[in-house]
Amino acid sequence: MIDQETIGLLLKGVNNVTWQSLVMIGVSFVLLYLAIVKDYEPLLLLPIGAGCLLANLPLSPLIGEEGMLVALYHMGVGNEMFPLLIFIGIGALTDFGPLLENPRLVLLGAAGQFGIFLTLILALLLGFTPNEAASIGIIGAIDGPTSIYVSGILAPHMLGPITVAAYSYMSLVPIILPPVIHLMTTKEERLIRMPYSSRKISRRTRILFPIIVTVLVGTLVPFATPLIGMLMLGNLMKESGAVERLTKASAAEIANTVTLFLGLAIGSTMVGADFLKPSTLFILVLGLLAFALDGCAGVFFAKILNWLSGGKINPIIGAAGISAFPMAARVVQRVAQEEDFENFLLMHAMGANAAGQVASVVAGGVVLALMGAGG
Amino acid sequence: MIDQETIGLLLKGVNNVTWQSLVMIGVSFVLLYLAIVKDYEPLLLLPIGAGCLLANLPLSPLIGEEGMLVALYHMGVGNEMFPLLIFIGIGALTDFGPLLENPRLVLLGAAGQFGIFLTLILALLLGFTPNEAASIGIIGAIDGPTSIYVSGILAPHMLGPITVAAYSYMSLVPIILPPVIHLMTTKEERLIRMPYSSRKISRRTRILFPIIVTVLVGTLVPFATPLIGMLMLGNLMKESGAVERLTKASAAEIANTVTLFLGLAIGSTMVGADFLKPSTLFILVLGLLAFALDGCAGVFFAKILNWLSGGKINPIIGAAGISAFPMAARVVQRVAQEEDFENFLLMHAMGANAAGQVASVVAGGVVLALMGAGG
Amino acid sequence: MIDQETIGLLLKGVNNVTWQSLVMIGVSFVLLYLAIVKDYEPLLLLPIGAGCLLANLPLSPLIGEEGMLVALYHMGVGNEMFPLLIFIGIGALTDFGPLLENPRLVLLGAAGQFGIFLTLILALLLGFTPNEAASIGIIGAIDGPTSIYVSGILAPHMLGPITVAAYSYMSLVPIILPPVIHLMTTKEERLIRMPYSSRKISRRTRILFPIIVTVLVGTLVPFATPLIGMLMLGNLMKESGAVERLTKASAAEIANTVTLFLGLAIGSTMVGADFLKPSTLFILVLGLLAFALDGCAGVFFAKILNWLSGGKINPIIGAAGISAFPMAARVVQRVAQEEDFENFLLMHAMGANAAGQVASVVAGGVVLALMGAGG
Amino acid sequence: MENLGWGLQMTVLGMGLVFALLAVLWAILNLILKLDQEEAEPVTALEATQAAEQIAAVADGAVGAQIPEPATVNGMRADLVAAILVATMQHRRVLRRQAAPMMRSYWPGSQLFASRWVAAGRTRQNNNWQPKGR
Amino acid sequence: MENLGWGLQMTVLGMGLVFALLAVLWAILNLILKLDQEEAEPVTALEATQAAEQIAAVADGAVGAQIPEPATVNGMRADLVAAILVATMQHRRVLRRQAAPMMRSYWPGSQLFASRWVAAGRTRQNNNWQPKGR
Amino acid sequence: MENLGWGLQMTVLGMGLVFALLAVLWAILNLILKLDQEEAEPVTALEATQAAEQIAAVADGAVGAQIPEPATVNGMRADLVAAILVATMQHRRVLRRQAAPMMRSYWPGSQLFASRWVAAGRTRQNNNWQPKGR
Ligand code: NA
Ligand code: NA
Ligand code: NA
C-alpha cells in the first residue's frame, strides 16, 4: 500500500538538493552560455554543460550504477578510446603540406610546448601532486584530445575541469594570442615579410610522412603511440586516397557521435564536492598561464630563428606553434595584417601550426613517459 | 573420427525444433507482415520481427552466450541506453513552438496519461504483480522509448510484448483515435473553430524551455531525469543552433543505428515459453485499452476546458494529448476536417501533442517513482 | 626525483625493439603497400596494416591492458559482432534477382566450396590441428566476413593471417581466376553462348527469399544462423523497401565504422612471435590453393551441368560460384569476352555468384557444425 | 481488493503529480513569455496550419514518428482535393478583394498568396484518409 | 593417415550437406516461382547484361566488393572500345532492319535503342582488363 | 624545494626530448624531400595564401577546429574589404603590365587572375576581426 514511505520517495528529489548541486547546476549554465551564446567550442562545451547539468540533478539515475552517463564514461573515457577516435578524424582533415614544404618549422612546434613544463613547476609549488601537476601542465598543449588522454591516465579525478579548460582556451585563441604576440614583438618584427615559395609535395612523401612520424615517435616515446598513431592513421587514410569511405566516416559520423558521448561523459564527472575545490580555480588559472607561456615561448624561439636567419623569419609565426590547428595560424595572419594589410604569413603560420599539432602530441607522450605512467 | 555423435550434431538443429519455437517463428512472420505489408512502424517492427525469428531458430547461436543479439541487448537494452539515445534524436526533431505559443495546452498532455493508471488497476485485478501492472500501464504513454525504458526497469521479462504493443499501437493512432473521438464528442463540439494566433517565440525562450523542463522535472521526479533529460538535450541542441553536426548525428546516424540494434535486441527476448503465455495476450489487450482510455480522458478534459472557456476550445484536440508526436495531431486535424473542410485545428493539436510528449515522459518517471524502482 | 630509472624509462622504447617487431613492421609496410599502391582491398588491408604497425611498435600501449586496439578486439572481434554487422551491409547491397531468375544456378555455388574441404585435408596432413585446418580451409570460402567469423571461433590465434589471406585473395580474383578457367576449359566451351531470359521477380518473392533461406539454413545448420541471418536481414531490409533509413545506415555508416574498427583490431593480433612461424606461410599458400581448387571445382561441376543440359551451359560461369560477389561474375564475363566480344554471360555469372555467396555462408556453418564448435 | 485500493491510490497520486508538474510548467512558461513581451496576434487559419505543417514535417523524420501514407479523399488524390480547396478559398478572397479596397484583408504581395501552392502541398499531407461513412 | 580418413569424411559429409541444402533451396525457389506464375521470356544479350550490370554496380558499394579499376583494352580506354562495339552491333541491326520488315528483331521504339549509350557505359565497367597474351 | 628541482629536471628533460624528436623528424623530412627532388619555387603572396586557406578550410571541419565567425573590419563586411584589397593589388599589377612587356610578372591566362574572386573569398575568411585600436 501507498504510505508515508511512498510519499517520502516523491519528495526525495527535492530533499536531496544540496548547495553543491545548485552551484554545479550554475556552472553547467555558464558552460551552456559559453557554448550557445558566446560560441566557445560549442561541440564540446554544450555536451559537457548538459552532462554536468544532468549529473547534478538530485539523485540523478544517469550517474547511478548502470546509469547512461556512467556507461558512456566506461565506453570511451575510462579506456581513452573517445579522444583517440577524435584524433583519427582530426588527422583525416589535417594537411601537413605547409610543414612539408618548410620542414624547419617543426622546431617552432617544439618551442610552443614550453608552457606545459613551466606550468607543471608552478602547479608543483602550489601543492599539487606530480601527476596532477603534469595533468594541469598538459592544458598547455592547447589540444583537447591530448589533454583528455593524458589527464585521463594521470589524474582522472581532474578530468572535468582540465577538459573544460582545454577546450575553453582553444576557443579563446583569437582573444589570448594577439596580446601575447604584441607583448613579445616590436612593430618592426611584426612587419617582416617572408618569401613565399611552393614545392610540389609528391603523393609518396605525403603518404610516407604519417608512417615515418608514427614509427619515429612511437619507437622513441612509446607512451605517445596511441595519440600520434591515431592522428597519423587519419592522415594516412586521407593522403592515401584509397579509403575515402573510412576517411569520411572518421571525420564525420564517428567524430560527431564520439564528440557527443565524450562531452556528456566528461560533464558527468563534474559532480559536487569533487569539483568545488580551490584546486579547480587553480587549474583554470594555471591552464590559462600555460597557454600564454606557450605563446611567449613560441614567439621567443621564432625570434632566435629570425636572428639566426638574418631577419628572414617573422617572429609572430612562432605563436602558431602552440597547436589549435588551424585557428592559431589564422590569428597570426590577422595580427600581421593589422599592421600591414598586404603581409601574408598564413602559409608559414600553417606550417608552424601543423608542427605544433605534432609537437603537442609528442609532448603529451613525453610527459606520460617522464611520469612513468603505466610503465 | 566422424561418428554417430557427429552425425547427431548435424541433426541437432532439426531435433531441437519445438512447437513453441514454431509458434514464435509464426509470430515473427506476423510482425514482419505488419512492418512490411501493413507499414506499421516498420523501423521498429521489422528489426523486432527479425530478432524474434533469429532467436527462435533451433539452437540459435545468436542468443547463446556471447551471441550477437545478447551482446546487443547488453550493449543498450539492459542498461537502457538505446531508448535514451533515440530520445535525443526525437528531441532534436521536435519543435515545442506550438506549445510555447499556447502554454495552457500542457494540461491536455497531462489528461492524456489517464489510461496508464486505469490500465494499471485493471492489470492488478487480472493478477499481474504491481511492477508488471505498471509496465503494462505504461503502454498507455503511447511512446515507444518511454515504454521500453520503464518496462526495462520494472519488468524486463515482458519487454518484448510491451515494446511490440507500444509501437504497434503508435502506428494504429490513425485507426484507433477517430472512433474514440466520435464516441466522446457531439457533432457540434467537433465543429467548433478555434481562433488562430501567432506569437513570435524568441530564441531565448526556445533555448530556456528544454533547460527549465529538465531542471523542473528532474528535481521533482528524479526517476524521469534520464528520459526528460535526453529528450530535452536533443531539443536544446536543435534550438541552440550551435551544434548542427551533433543534432544531425543524433537524429540520423545515431538514431538509425540504435533503432536497428534496439529492435533486434528486443526481438531476441521473445523466446518460446516466456512469450507464449496468456499474459502476453492480456498485455496486448490491456495496452489497447490504455490507449483508448488515454484518448477518452484527453477529450473529456478538453471538454471541461471548453466549458470553462465558454466554448472556445474544440474538445477533440484533447485526443492529441496522448503523445505520438506529430501523428496524433494530424489525426485530430483530419477528424475536424471530416466535418468541416475549412476547420484548421492543426496548430492547436500540435501544441497538445507536444504537451503529451512531455507528459508521457513525466508519467513514466512518476510511475517509476511510485514503484520505488531503484530507490 | 629524476634518476637513472627515469632515463631508463626514456630509452625503454628503443631497448624493446626486437627483430620480430621489426619484421612485423615490415609486414605492415607490405600490407599498406598492397592497400595503397596496389589497391588490394584497401578498406580492410589499410586498417589491418595500420593495426599491425601500431601493435608492433615497442611497448605499444595500444595493445596493453585497456589499450584501444584490445578494446576494439573485445568490442567486436572476440564476440564476432563486427563480421556479422558487415554482413548486414553486404546483404543490403546484394540483389539475388539473377539467382531467382535461374534457381538451378544454386548448385554452382555449392560446387565452388570444394576447395575448403580439400585444403582442410592438406592442412591436416601438414600437421595442423583439426580446428586450425578447418580455419585455413575456410579461406576457400573467398568471403571475408565468413573467414573471420569461422576462424575467430575455431582458431582465434590465426585470425590475423587468415583474414589477410582472405581479403588479399578476394582482391586477387581478377588475377587468379582467369588462368584457372583457361586450365579447366577448352576454347569451344568458353565460346558457348547462353540464352538470355528474363523473368519479373515479384516483390513478394524477393521478400520471401531471405526469410526462407534464413529459416531453412538456420534450422538445418544452426551454426550458420548468425552468418546467414545477418546477410539475409540486410537483404530483407533492402527488398522490403520499408526501412530505407536502416538499410542505408547498415550499408554505409555502420559498415564503414565497423570496417575500420575490425581492420585495426585484426591487425593488432599480428604480433611478433605468434605470426612469424612457418605456419603463417603455410596458411598463405594453402589459402591460395583453396581458392584455386574452388575455381576448378566450380568449372568442373558446370561442365557436368553443361553435359547434362546438352551443351547449353558455358562451364566458365562455374568459376563465379566461389563467392566474391560481384567481382567473380565480372571476371567470368571478361574471360568470355576475351574470346568472343559479343558473348554476354554476366547475368548468368551473377546468378552463380550470388549462389556462391549463399553457399559460402552455408559451408562456413557446416564446417562449424562438423567441428562441433560450441556444441 | 487490496490491489484495487493500491491501484486507486496510485492513480490519484500519479495523475495528481503529473497534473501538478505540468501546472508548474505552465506557470513558468507564462512567466517566461511575459519576459519576451511578444503579444500573440491573430493569423489566418491557413498561415497557422502551414506553420504547424512545417513543424510536423520536420518531426516526421524522427524514428517512430509514423509518417502517414499518401492519402486519398473519396478516392481522389488528396493533394488534388487540397488544391481545389485552396483555389476555392482563394477565389472567395479575390472576390472580397475586388469588392472594395477597404475590405481587403490581404494586400497585394502578401506572403500568403505567394505560398498558396506550398499550402496545397502541406495540406495534402494533412488529408490522408478516407472520410468516414462515404 | 588417420587424419586423412577424417578429412575425407569431412569432405564427403561437408560437401554433401552443402549440396543437399542448396538443392532443397533450389526446390523451394522453384515452388515459389511457380506461385508467381511469371514466365521467363527471352531478352537480348545487351538487355540482360545491362540489368546484370546495374545489380553489380549496386553491390560494388559493399565493403569488400572489389570495385575494379578503370579499364584499358589493348591500351585503349575500355569505354571507347565498348562504345565502338555497341555502335558496330547497332549498325548491323540497322542494316538488318532496312533489309526487310519481317527480318526485324527489334521494333522501332524499342527500349534497347534508346538506352544504347547506357549500354556502352555499363559495358565499359565490364571490360577492365588487358586481354590475355597481347 | 625538492619539487622545484624535480620540476626543473622535468622541464629540461621534457623540452629536450621534444626538441630532439622534432629535430630528428626535421632531418628525416629533409632527406625525403631530397629524394623527391622537387625544388621550392617562389610564388606570390596571394597564391601561397590561397593554398593555405584551402588547407585551413578543410581543417575547419574537424571537431574542435574553432571555425571563426563571419568577420567585420572597422564595421564593414570583411569580404568587401578583401575584395577591395584584391582589386587594388590587381589594379597595381595591370599598371605594371601596361608599362612594358618585360616587366610583366604574370602572363595573360595566368591562373592568378582567373581566380581573383576566389582569392577574395578565401581572404575574407582570413579577416574576421576588428583591427586593434580603431
Ligand atoms: Na601545443
Ligand atoms: Na502519452
Ligand atoms: Na565461396
Side-chain angles (χ1 to χ4, degrees):
Chain A
M1 292 301 292
I2 288 172
D3 49 14
Q4 277 312 106
E5 201 186 345
T6 311
I7 290 164
L9 268 172
L10 293 178
L11 295 172
K12 233 176 161 178
V14 180
N15 287 339
N16 275 276
V17 174
T18 61
W19 71 266
Q20 285 99 334
S21 66
L22 288 178
V23 175
M24 289 312 297
I25 288 175
V27 169
S28 77
F29 289 169
V30 172
L31 292 174
L32 292 174
Y33 174 83
L34 291 177
I36 297 172
V37 181
K38 306 298 283 182
D39 213 25
Y40 281 6
E41 200 70 73
L43 291 176
L44 264 297
L45 292 193
L46 192 151
I48 290 177
C52 176
L53 171 57
L54 292 169
N56 285 286
L57 289 173
L59 302 175
S60 175
L62 285 166
I63 56 166
E65 210 189 331
E66 289 262 298
M68 173 174 160
L69 295 180
V70 174
L72 289 177
Y73 187 92
H74 289 310
M75 190 192 292
V77 182
N79 59 11
E80 308 295 334
M81 192 182 284
F82 286 163
L84 296 179
L85 289 176
I86 287 182
F87 247 0
I88 301 182
I90 292 177
L93 293 175
T94 302
D95 187 330
F96 288 100
L99 179 59
L100 292 171
E101 289 190 29
N102 209 349
R104 67 185 160 165
L105 294 176
V106 292
L107 296 182
L108 289 178
Q113 314 309 319
F114 240 116
I116 295 175
F117 296 96
L118 297 184
T119 308
L120 186 156
I121 295 178
L122 271 176
L124 283 174
L125 295 181
L126 280 168
F128 285 97
T129 69
N131 274 356
E132 290 173 345
S135 300
I136 295 170
I138 213 71
I139 299 174
I142 321 290
D143 185 90
T146 301
S147 301
I148 297 172
Y149 183 83
V150 172
S151 64
I153 291 174
L154 294 181
H157 60 287
M158 299 187 344
L159 199 50
I162 285 177
T163 307
V164 167
Y167 278 102
S168 305
Y169 298 156
M170 276 171 76
S171 70
L172 289 179
V173 164
I175 290 162
I176 297 173
L177 224 42
V180 169
I181 294 173
H182 279 94
L183 188 78
M184 293 291 296
T185 53
T186 64
K187 190 174 171 72
E188 285 66 41
E189 286 173 329
R190 293 197 294 276
L191 285 173
I192 294 173
R193 292 202 187 179
M194 294 177 69
Y196 314 105
S197 70
S198 169
R199 178 151 38 186
K200 215 187 141 286
I201 307 296
S202 69
R203 187 173 166 239
R204 195 183 55 188
T205 300
R206 289 175 169 278
I207 289 171
L208 283 178
F209 176 74
I211 297 175
I212 287 170
V213 172
T214 302
V215 172
L216 179 69
V217 176
T219 304
L220 296 181
V221 193
F223 285 108
T225 301
L227 289 167
I228 202 75
M230 291 305 135
L231 183 68
M232 291 299 147
L233 169 60
N235 192 244
L236 176 64
M237 295 201 299
K238 167 184 179 258
E239 297 295 355
S240 78
V243 290
E244 223 173 293
R245 296 169 60 154
L246 304 186
T247 312
K248 201 198 137 283
S250 306
E253 290 93 352
I254 297 176
N256 292 340
T257 305
V258 165
T259 302
L260 177 61
F261 289 1
L262 176 65
L264 288 173
I266 285 180
S268 76
T269 66
M270 295 165 65
V271 182
D274 264 1
F275 191 89
L276 295 171
K277 288 192 294 198
S279 69
T280 301
L281 207 67
F282 285 140
I283 291 171
L284 295 176
V285 172
L286 288 171
L288 193 59
L289 192 74
F291 185 176
L293 288 173
D294 277 351
C296 291
V299 174
F300 183 76
F301 191 74
K303 285 174 91 150
I304 297 178
L305 286 190
N306 182 36
W307 176 71
L308 288 174
S309 70
K312 283 194 194 137
I313 288 177
N314 188 323
I316 74 174
I317 67 167
I322 61 163
S323 183
F325 187 84
M327 192 55 183
R330 283 211 165 104
V331 170
V332 164
Q333 164 70 352
R334 259 193 222 176
V335 173
Q337 285 198 316
E338 256 175 52
E339 320 252 353
D340 169 6
F341 214 102
E342 290 188 27
N343 192 4
F344 293 98
L345 295 176
L346 188 61
M347 185 55 97
H348 304 96
M350 291 284 284
N353 209 171
Q357 178 74 64
V358 173
S360 291
V361 171
V362 169
V366 164
V367 165
L368 283 176
L370 290 173
M371 304 308 301
Chain B
M1 292 301 293
I2 290 171
D3 49 14
Q4 276 312 106
E5 201 187 345
T6 311
I7 291 164
L9 268 173
L10 295 178
L11 295 172
K12 232 175 161 180
V14 181
N15 287 340
N16 275 276
V17 174
T18 61
W19 71 266
Q20 285 100 334
S21 66
L22 287 178
V23 175
M24 289 312 296
I25 289 175
V27 169
S28 77
F29 289 169
V30 173
L31 292 174
L32 292 174
Y33 174 82
L34 291 177
I36 297 172
V37 182
K38 304 299 283 182
D39 213 27
Y40 280 7
E41 200 70 73
L43 291 176
L44 264 297
L45 291 193
L46 191 150
I48 291 178
C52 177
L53 171 57
L54 292 169
N56 284 288
L57 289 172
L59 301 174
S60 174
L62 286 167
I63 56 165
E65 210 189 331
E66 289 262 297
M68 174 175 159
L69 295 180
V70 174
L72 289 177
Y73 187 93
H74 290 310
M75 189 192 292
V77 182
N79 59 12
E80 307 294 336
M81 192 182 284
F82 286 163
L84 296 179
L85 289 176
I86 286 181
F87 247 179
I88 301 182
I90 291 177
L93 294 175
T94 302
D95 187 330
F96 287 100
L99 178 60
L100 292 171
E101 289 190 29
N102 210 347
R104 67 185 159 164
L105 294 176
V106 292
L107 296 181
L108 290 179
Q113 314 309 319
F114 240 117
I116 296 175
F117 297 95
L118 298 184
T119 309
L120 187 155
I121 296 178
L122 271 176
L124 283 173
L125 295 181
L126 280 168
F128 286 97
T129 70
N131 273 355
E132 289 173 345
S135 299
I136 294 170
I138 213 69
I139 299 174
I142 322 291
D143 185 89
T146 300
S147 301
I148 297 172
Y149 183 83
V150 172
S151 62
I153 290 175
L154 294 180
H157 60 288
M158 299 188 342
L159 199 50
I162 285 176
T163 307
V164 167
Y167 278 101
S168 306
Y169 298 156
M170 275 171 76
S171 70
L172 289 179
V173 164
I175 291 161
I176 297 173
L177 224 42
V180 168
I181 294 172
H182 279 94
L183 188 78
M184 294 291 297
T185 53
T186 64
K187 190 175 173 71
E188 286 65 41
E189 286 172 329
R190 293 197 294 277
L191 285 173
I192 294 174
R193 292 202 188 181
M194 293 176 70
Y196 314 104
S197 71
S198 168
R199 179 153 34 187
K200 212 187 142 287
I201 306 297
S202 69
R203 188 174 165 239
R204 195 184 54 189
T205 300
R206 288 174 170 279
I207 289 171
L208 283 178
F209 176 74
I211 297 175
I212 287 170
V213 172
T214 302
V215 172
L216 179 69
V217 176
T219 304
L220 296 181
V221 193
F223 286 109
T225 301
L227 288 167
I228 202 77
M230 291 304 136
L231 183 68
M232 291 298 147
L233 169 61
N235 193 245
L236 176 64
M237 295 200 300
K238 167 183 179 257
E239 296 296 356
S240 78
V243 290
E244 224 173 295
R245 296 169 61 154
L246 305 186
T247 312
K248 202 199 135 281
S250 306
E253 291 94 352
I254 297 176
N256 292 340
T257 305
V258 165
T259 303
L260 177 61
F261 289 0
L262 177 65
L264 288 172
I266 286 180
S268 75
T269 65
M270 295 164 63
V271 182
D274 264 2
F275 191 89
L276 296 171
K277 289 192 293 197
S279 70
T280 301
L281 207 66
F282 285 140
I283 291 170
L284 295 176
V285 172
L286 287 170
L288 193 60
L289 192 73
F291 185 175
L293 288 173
D294 276 350
C296 291
V299 174
F300 183 76
F301 190 75
K303 285 174 90 149
I304 297 178
L305 286 189
N306 183 36
W307 176 71
L308 288 173
S309 70
K312 284 194 193 136
I313 288 177
N314 188 324
I316 74 173
I317 68 168
I322 61 163
S323 184
F325 187 84
M327 191 56 182
R330 283 209 165 105
V331 169
V332 164
Q333 164 69 352
R334 261 192 221 177
V335 173
Q337 284 197 318
E338 255 175 55
E339 320 252 354
D340 169 5
F341 214 102
E342 288 186 29
N343 192 4
F344 293 97
L345 295 177
L346 188 60
M347 185 55 97
H348 304 94
M350 291 284 283
N353 209 172
Q357 179 73 65
V358 173
S360 292
V361 170
V362 170
V366 164
V367 165
L368 283 175
L370 290 173
M371 304 309 301
Chain C
M1 293 299 292
I2 289 171
D3 49 13
Q4 276 313 106
E5 202 186 346
T6 311
I7 291 165
L9 268 172
L10 295 178
L11 294 172
K12 233 174 160 179
V14 181
N15 287 340
N16 274 276
V17 174
T18 61
W19 71 265
Q20 285 100 333
S21 67
L22 288 178
V23 175
M24 288 313 297
I25 288 174
V27 169
S28 78
F29 288 169
V30 173
L31 292 174
L32 292 174
Y33 174 83
L34 292 177
I36 297 173
V37 181
K38 305 299 284 182
D39 213 27
Y40 280 7
E41 199 71 74
L43 290 176
L44 264 297
L45 291 193
L46 192 151
I48 291 178
C52 176
L53 171 57
L54 291 169
N56 284 287
L57 288 173
L59 302 175
S60 175
L62 286 166
I63 56 166
E65 209 189 332
E66 289 262 298
M68 174 174 158
L69 295 180
V70 174
L72 288 177
Y73 187 93
H74 289 311
M75 190 193 293
V77 183
N79 59 11
E80 307 295 335
M81 192 182 285
F82 286 164
L84 295 179
L85 289 176
I86 287 181
F87 247 0
I88 301 182
I90 292 177
L93 294 174
T94 302
D95 186 331
F96 288 100
L99 178 60
L100 291 171
E101 289 190 29
N102 209 348
R104 67 184 159 165
L105 294 176
V106 293
L107 297 181
L108 290 179
Q113 314 308 320
F114 240 116
I116 295 174
F117 296 95
L118 298 185
T119 309
L120 187 156
I121 295 177
L122 270 176
L124 282 173
L125 296 181
L126 280 168
F128 285 97
T129 69
N131 274 355
E132 289 174 345
S135 299
I136 295 170
I138 213 70
I139 299 174
I142 321 290
D143 185 89
T146 301
S147 301
I148 296 172
Y149 183 84
V150 172
S151 63
I153 290 175
L154 294 181
H157 60 288
M158 298 188 345
L159 198 50
I162 286 177
T163 307
V164 167
Y167 278 101
S168 306
Y169 299 156
M170 274 171 77
S171 70
L172 289 179
V173 163
I175 292 162
I176 297 173
L177 224 42
V180 169
I181 294 173
H182 279 94
L183 188 78
M184 294 290 297
T185 53
T186 63
K187 191 174 172 70
E188 286 66 39
E189 285 172 328
R190 292 197 294 276
L191 286 173
I192 293 173
R193 293 202 188 180
M194 293 176 70
Y196 313 105
S197 71
S198 168
R199 176 151 40 185
K200 214 186 140 290
I201 306 297
S202 70
R203 186 172 167 241
R204 194 183 57 188
T205 300
R206 288 176 170 276
I207 289 172
L208 284 178
F209 176 74
I211 297 176
I212 288 169
V213 171
T214 302
V215 173
L216 178 69
V217 175
T219 303
L220 296 181
V221 193
F223 285 109
T225 300
L227 288 166
I228 202 77
M230 292 304 136
L231 183 68
M232 291 299 147
L233 169 60
N235 193 246
L236 175 64
M237 294 201 300
K238 168 183 179 259
E239 297 296 355
S240 77
V243 290
E244 224 173 293
R245 296 169 59 154
L246 304 186
T247 312
K248 203 200 135 280
S250 306
E253 292 93 351
I254 297 176
N256 292 340
T257 305
V258 165
T259 303
L260 177 60
F261 290 0
L262 176 65
L264 287 173
I266 285 180
S268 76
T269 65
M270 296 165 64
V271 182
D274 264 2
F275 191 90
L276 296 171
K277 288 193 292 199
S279 70
T280 301
L281 207 67
F282 285 140
I283 291 171
L284 296 176
V285 172
L286 288 170
L288 194 58
L289 192 74
F291 185 176
L293 289 173
D294 276 350
C296 291
V299 174
F300 183 76
F301 190 76
K303 286 174 90 150
I304 297 178
L305 286 190
N306 183 37
W307 177 70
L308 289 173
S309 70
K312 284 194 194 138
I313 287 176
N314 188 324
I316 73 173
I317 69 168
I322 60 163
S323 184
F325 187 83
M327 191 57 183
R330 284 212 164 104
V331 169
V332 164
Q333 163 70 351
R334 260 192 221 176
V335 173
Q337 284 199 316
E338 256 175 55
E339 321 252 353
D340 170 5
F341 215 102
E342 289 188 27
N343 192 4
F344 293 98
L345 295 177
L346 188 61
M347 185 55 98
H348 305 95
M350 291 283 284
N353 209 172
Q357 178 74 65
V358 173
S360 292
V361 170
V362 170
V366 164
V367 165
L368 283 176
L370 290 173
M371 304 309 300
Chain D
M1 285 297 88
E2 190 189 326
N3 273 343
L4 182 60
W6 182 80
L8 285 173
Q9 275 182 297
M10 279 288 287
T11 308
V12 172
L13 262 174
M15 285 310 293
L17 265 168
V18 172
F19 265 108
L21 254 161
L22 294 190
V24 175
L25 183 58
W26 178 23
I28 295 179
L29 286 183
N30 272 326
L31 211 80
I32 306 176
L33 290 172
K34 283 266 159 55
L35 292 173
D36 263 6
Q37 293 184 313
E38 294 268 2
E39 280 312 297
E41 50 185 47
V43 293
T44 65
L46 272 185
E47 281 169 336
T49 300
Q50 275 173 43
E53 258 307 333
Q54 274 163 347
I55 293 167
V58 170
D60 282 340
V63 164
Q66 280 306 316
I67 308 168
E69 297 176 64
T72 53
V73 178
N74 250 351
M76 283 167 71
R77 297 264 315 155
D79 50 354
L80 190 63
V81 176
I84 294 170
L85 168 74
V86 172
T88 320
M89 295 176 76
Q90 172 67 0
H91 178 64
R92 215 183 296 163
R93 252 182 234 113
V94 172
L95 289 180
R96 222 185 299 154
R97 205 160 45 187
Q98 288 170 337
M102 295 314 291
M103 282 181 68
R104 274 184 204 165
S105 44
Y106 303 103
W107 295 93
S110 151
Q111 280 285 345
L112 182 65
F113 296 120
S115 63
R116 64 181 181 270
W117 297 112
V118 176
R122 298 283 178 217
T123 309
R124 174 185 66 83
Q125 291 178 271
N126 201 29
N127 290 294
N128 52 336
W129 77 105
Q130 191 74 22
K132 190 190 139 210
R134 289 173 215 176
Chain E
M1 287 297 88
E2 189 189 327
N3 274 343
L4 182 61
W6 183 80
L8 286 173
Q9 275 182 295
M10 279 289 286
T11 308
V12 171
L13 262 175
M15 285 310 293
L17 265 168
V18 172
F19 266 107
L21 254 161
L22 294 189
V24 174
L25 183 59
W26 178 23
I28 295 178
L29 287 183
N30 272 327
L31 211 79
I32 305 176
L33 291 172
K34 282 265 159 53
L35 293 173
D36 262 6
Q37 294 184 313
E38 294 269 1
E39 280 311 298
E41 50 185 45
V43 293
T44 65
L46 273 185
E47 281 171 336
T49 300
Q50 275 171 43
E53 258 307 332
Q54 276 163 346
I55 293 168
V58 170
D60 282 339
V63 164
Q66 280 305 317
I67 308 169
E69 297 176 63
T72 53
V73 178
N74 250 353
M76 283 166 71
R77 296 266 314 156
D79 50 356
L80 190 63
V81 176
I84 295 170
L85 168 74
V86 172
T88 320
M89 294 176 77
Q90 172 66 359
H91 179 64
R92 213 182 296 161
R93 251 182 235 115
V94 171
L95 289 179
R96 221 186 299 153
R97 204 160 45 188
Q98 288 168 337
M102 294 313 291
M103 282 182 67
R104 276 184 203 164
S105 44
Y106 304 103
W107 296 92
S110 150
Q111 279 286 346
L112 182 65
F113 296 119
S115 63
R116 65 181 180 268
W117 297 113
V118 176
R122 298 285 178 217
T123 310
R124 175 186 65 84
Q125 292 179 269
N126 201 28
N127 289 293
N128 53 335
W129 79 105
Q130 191 74 22
K132 192 189 136 210
R134 289 175 214 176
Chain F
M1 285 299 88
E2 191 188 325
N3 273 343
L4 182 61
W6 183 80
L8 285 172
Q9 275 183 295
M10 280 288 287
T11 308
V12 172
L13 262 175
M15 285 310 293
L17 266 167
V18 172
F19 265 107
L21 254 161
L22 294 190
V24 174
L25 183 59
W26 178 22
I28 296 179
L29 287 183
N30 271 327
L31 211 81
I32 305 176
L33 291 172
K34 282 266 158 54
L35 293 172
D36 263 5
Q37 293 184 314
E38 293 268 3
E39 279 311 297
E41 50 185 45
V43 292
T44 65
L46 273 186
E47 282 170 334
T49 301
Q50 275 172 44
E53 258 308 333
Q54 275 163 345
I55 293 167
V58 170
D60 282 339
V63 164
Q66 280 306 317
I67 307 169
E69 297 176 63
T72 54
V73 178
N74 250 351
M76 283 166 70
R77 296 264 317 153
D79 50 355
L80 189 63
V81 176
I84 295 170
L85 168 74
V86 172
T88 320
M89 294 176 77
Q90 172 66 1
H91 178 64
R92 214 182 297 163
R93 250 182 236 114
V94 171
L95 289 180
R96 220 186 301 154
R97 205 160 46 187
Q98 287 169 336
M102 295 313 292
M103 282 180 67
R104 274 185 205 163
S105 45
Y106 305 103
W107 296 92
S110 149
Q111 280 285 345
L112 181 65
F113 297 120
S115 63
R116 65 181 180 269
W117 298 113
V118 175
R122 298 284 178 217
T123 310
R124 174 185 65 85
Q125 291 179 270
N126 201 29
N127 289 293
N128 53 336
W129 78 106
Q130 190 73 23
K132 192 189 136 211
R134 290 174 211 175

